[in-house]
């Protein structure tokens, strides 16, 4: 039973895995059947439809400070910085068509939801933010292992190469933001490009830190959210409130936050809860090890066990425990099916207790549905899939959505509903084209089809 689980471990991580990663070879029959009549690619637009809990403004203010005055590396930032005045965004070189469409959607959301004065730069105008799309190999020759990244004070690739080893590209030396460049790969799927746009433009504009304790944010290394959420827009709206200015220190910003949060988040005017405990460095490193594609199966499993142990020892009852359990399930797939299943069930129960029955639970449901499908229990698989599909759609995660739909088609096939299976499979392929690109779509479809008994 472990082989199908291994396939789903890779599939579940598709949103944060480069499309160039190695995968199983698709047979000629599979390639022909998938490419013969691919449906048009689907894409998302507008706000994600998520059930985001309302945070007390006191907690929001603490989150804002933690995101704003520290880098991901742990280095402190001396002052608050942002762009002052209208912001323009330029695209350097020949960008994929999907980038242009998704960028326009993102800028529209930033104007409407975060109230930021941001627009596309005029032709041949140097933008406040420059987006450069280039081959992944070229990007990683400068920053090995980077999927995408953002750099201050530079305008485009040549400018970055000329200045990358100096203090100009150090965020900690800024007292205001005037220029920044986002670098992302051009030769990947539309979803990978869009996800980079959301995360890197958000960091160019605002927070430079990521916190595992934020369950409703892209400012979180767990990759649960792939587009900016309502929470993220609220943080960015606070960033560009008129009462804040670049150069302010921590005390000045902290003094103004209560009034800002009360104004932009009136529903959060309620009793504050106890401050959320920050993540322990040992747990963070263990979780990173559990998720690292470069680690051996044994190392990932050891790190994942440590992450669960540390989360329980810290007394956490939040998403960090649930995510640790999910990571343990994925890591155990290679060698210990019993532990994998038990961990997925524990993660499902933990998310359920937290009321996280949306995108968080959908990632667990995918694994549980795979187990049911491989075991020849389509009814059980459908219960998991039908709960998870709306969540993946609402979170605008095409990779997860396509996988769930393709699995649902296999479950329908097992039930003998061939026409229904064909319809659902076609929808899954349409989302898969956006999620993975056509070549990887062929491989992903083959992986999912192999889950069905007798495939």
């Amino acid at each position: 039973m472990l082989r199908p689980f291994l396939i789903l471990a890779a599939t579940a991580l598709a949103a944060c895995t480069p499309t160039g990663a190695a995968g199983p070879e698709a047979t000629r029959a599979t390639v022909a059947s998938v490419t013969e009549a691919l449906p048009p690619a689907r894409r998302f637009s507008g706000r994600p439809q998520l059930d985001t809990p309302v945070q007390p403004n006191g907690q929001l203010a603490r989150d804002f400070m933690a995101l704003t005055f520290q880098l991901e590396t742990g280095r402190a930032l001396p002052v608050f910085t942002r762009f002052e005045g209208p912001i323009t965004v330029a695209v350097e070189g020949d960008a994929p068509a999907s980038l242009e469409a998704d960028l326009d959607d993102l800028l529209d959301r930033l104007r409407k939801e975060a109230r930021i004065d941001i627009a596309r730069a005029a032709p041949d105008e140097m933008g406040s933010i420059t987006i450069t799309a280039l081959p992944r190999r070229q990007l990683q020759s400068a920053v090995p292992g980077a999927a995408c990244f953002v750099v201050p004070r530079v305008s485009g690739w040549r400018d970055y190469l000329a200045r990358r080893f100096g203090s100009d590209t150090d965020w900690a030396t800024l007292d205001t933001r005037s220029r920044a460049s986002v670098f992302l790969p051009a030769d990947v799927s539309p979803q990978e490009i869009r996800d980079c746009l959301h995360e890197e433009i958000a960091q160019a504009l605002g927070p430079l830190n990521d916190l595992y304790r934020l369950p409703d944010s892209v400012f979180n290394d767990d990759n649960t959210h792939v587009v900016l959420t309502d929470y993220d827009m609220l943080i960015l709206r606070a960033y560009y409130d008129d009462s804040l200015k670049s150069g302010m220190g921590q005390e000045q910003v902290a003094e103004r936050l209560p009034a800002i949060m009360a104004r932009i988040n009136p529903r959060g005017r309620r009793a504050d809860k106890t401050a959320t405990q920050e993540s322990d460095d040992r747990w963070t490193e263990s979780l990173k090890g559990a998720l690292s594609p470069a680690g051996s199966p044994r190392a990932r499993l050891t790190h994942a066990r440590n992450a669960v142990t540390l989360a329980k020892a810290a007394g956490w009852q939040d998403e960090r425990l649930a995510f640790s359990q999910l990571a343990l399930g994925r890591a155990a797939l290679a060698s210990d099916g019993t532990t994998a299943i038990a961990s997925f069930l524990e993660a499902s129960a933990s998310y359920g207790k937290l009321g996280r029955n949306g995108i968080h639970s959908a990632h667990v449901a995918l694994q549980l549905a795979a187990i049911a499908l491989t075991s020849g229990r389509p009814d059980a698989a459908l219960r998991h899939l039908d709960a998870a599909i709306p969540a993946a759609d609402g979170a605008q995660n095409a990779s997860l959505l396509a996988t769930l739909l393709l699995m649902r088609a296999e479950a329908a096939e097992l039930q003998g509903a061939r026409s229904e299976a064909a319809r659902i499979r076609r929808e899954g392929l349409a989302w898969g084209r956006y999620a993975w690109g056509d070549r990887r779509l062929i491989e992903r479809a083959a992986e999912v089809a192999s889950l069905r008994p007798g495939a």
Side-chain angles (χ1 to χ4, degrees):
M1 288 179 66
L2 284 180
R3 178 178 164 275
F5 297 161
L6 286 170
I7 290 171
L8 260 292
T11 304
L13 292 171
C16 55
T17 301
T19 54
E25 288 296 324
T27 65
R28 290 183 180 179
T30 301
V31 171
S33 63
V34 172
T35 59
E36 183 177 348
L38 281 174
R42 299 280 297 273
R43 63 179 295 271
F44 296 102
S45 62
R47 293 173 54 229
Q49 301 301 306
L50 298 168
D51 184 15
T52 305
V54 177
Q55 291 285 343
N57 286 335
Q59 182 62 50
L60 277 176
R62 287 191 291 272
D63 294 348
F64 186 97
M65 295 295 290
L67 287 167
T68 300
F69 286 96
Q70 185 171 299
L71 296 172
E72 290 183 64
T73 59
R75 286 180 65 199
L77 293 170
V79 296
F80 171 78
T81 64
R82 70 179 187 190
F83 287 94
E84 301 293 344
I87 303 165
T88 56
V89 180
V91 178
E92 180 181 60
D94 296 326
S98 70
L99 184 153
E100 301 285 356
D102 284 331
L103 175 59
D104 285 336
D105 284 349
L106 173 57
L107 297 184
D108 184 61
R109 285 193 60 203
L110 288 168
R111 286 189 294 268
K112 292 178 178 177
E113 299 172 45
R115 312 289 176 86
I116 296 175
D117 186 358
I118 188 169
R120 294 287 287 265
D124 299 322
E125 175 190 359
M126 180 181 290
S128 311
I129 299 172
T130 301
I131 298 169
T132 303
L134 62 163
R136 182 190 292 276
R137 181 175 298 178
Q138 186 178 356
L139 183 149
Q140 293 188 341
S141 68
V143 185
C148 44
F149 59 96
V150 59
V151 180
R153 289 197 183 104
V154 301
S155 297
W157 186 243
R158 288 185 180 179
D159 193 23
Y160 167 66
L161 293 179
R163 304 167 69 180
R164 59 179 164 154
F165 297 120
S167 61
D168 284 352
T169 58
D170 185 350
W171 290 99
T173 64
L174 295 179
D175 53 21
T176 190
R177 303 186 197 186
S178 56
R179 292 277 184 270
S181 283
V182 169
F183 302 107
L184 50 81
D187 50 353
V188 297
S189 72
Q191 173 160 335
E192 279 195 78
I193 293 172
R194 181 209 61 183
D195 296 355
C196 280
L197 282 174
H198 277 247
E199 182 167 0
E200 304 307 334
I201 288 180
Q203 289 201 319
L205 293 169
L208 298 167
N209 195 9
D210 282 334
L211 299 170
Y212 273 111
R213 64 174 176 79
L214 302 180
D216 301 301
S217 176
V218 300
F219 300 115
N220 187 327
D221 284 326
D222 66 5
N223 290 299
T224 298
H225 293 285
V226 294
V227 296
L228 292 172
T229 65
D230 290 348
Y231 174 96
D232 298 323
M233 290 296 183
L234 195 63
I235 292 293
L236 288 170
R237 186 175 172 186
Y239 241 82
Y240 285 84
D241 190 89
D242 289 340
S243 63
L244 296 182
K245 298 294 179 187
S246 291
M248 286 183 171
Q250 291 194 42
E251 290 186 5
Q252 291 174 294
V253 173
E255 287 174 358
R256 287 163 174 76
L257 282 179
I260 293 172
M261 294 303 179
R263 183 166 58 253
I264 69 174
N265 187 45
R267 293 191 301 162
R269 296 176 182 173
R270 55 189 175 86
D272 194 7
K273 61 182 180 181
T274 303
T276 303
Q277 182 183 350
E278 295 295 343
S279 300
D280 180 270
D281 288 343
R282 293 177 303 158
W283 175 84
T284 299
E285 291 305 312
S286 292
L287 192 59
K288 287 179 179 178
L291 301 176
S292 173
S296 68
R298 174 180 289 185
R300 287 197 296 271
L301 181 57
T302 299
H303 284 303
R305 290 187 191 278
N306 286 340
V308 172
T309 298
L310 290 168
K312 289 181 177 178
W316 297 336
Q317 296 297 319
D318 56 22
E319 287 78 9
R320 288 172 292 184
L321 173 60
F323 190 66
S324 299
Q325 292 164 334
L326 175 57
L328 176 56
R330 288 171 172 168
L333 290 171
S335 58
D336 189 343
T338 300
T339 295
I341 294 171
S343 297
F344 292 140
L345 291 173
E346 288 174 354
S348 180
S350 294
Y351 280 129
K353 289 177 183 177
L354 295 168
R356 297 286 176 177
N357 295 316
I359 188 61
H360 299 81
S361 293
H363 283 279
V364 185
L366 180 145
Q367 303 291 349
L368 295 175
I371 294 168
L373 189 60
T374 306
S375 304
R377 296 181 290 123
D379 291 347
L382 287 173
R383 284 196 296 272
H384 294 297
L385 294 168
D386 287 344
I389 286 170
D393 189 12
Q396 298 188 357
N397 189 329
S399 177
L400 180 59
L401 176 60
T403 304
L404 293 167
L405 287 168
L406 292 173
M407 288 176 61
R408 198 188 188 290
E410 296 303 324
E413 193 87 41
L414 273 179
Q415 291 184 321
R418 293 187 175 180
S419 60
E420 178 73 358
R423 181 189 66 79
I424 297 170
R425 185 174 293 110
R426 188 170 177 81
E427 185 180 358
L429 293 174
W431 284 113
R433 298 188 71 181
Y434 182 86
W436 306 307
D438 290 352
R439 180 60 194 176
R440 289 293 292 161
L441 168 62
I442 295 167
E443 296 171 354
R444 291 298 189 191
E447 289 169 353
V448 175
S450 72
L451 293 172
R452 188 155 47 93

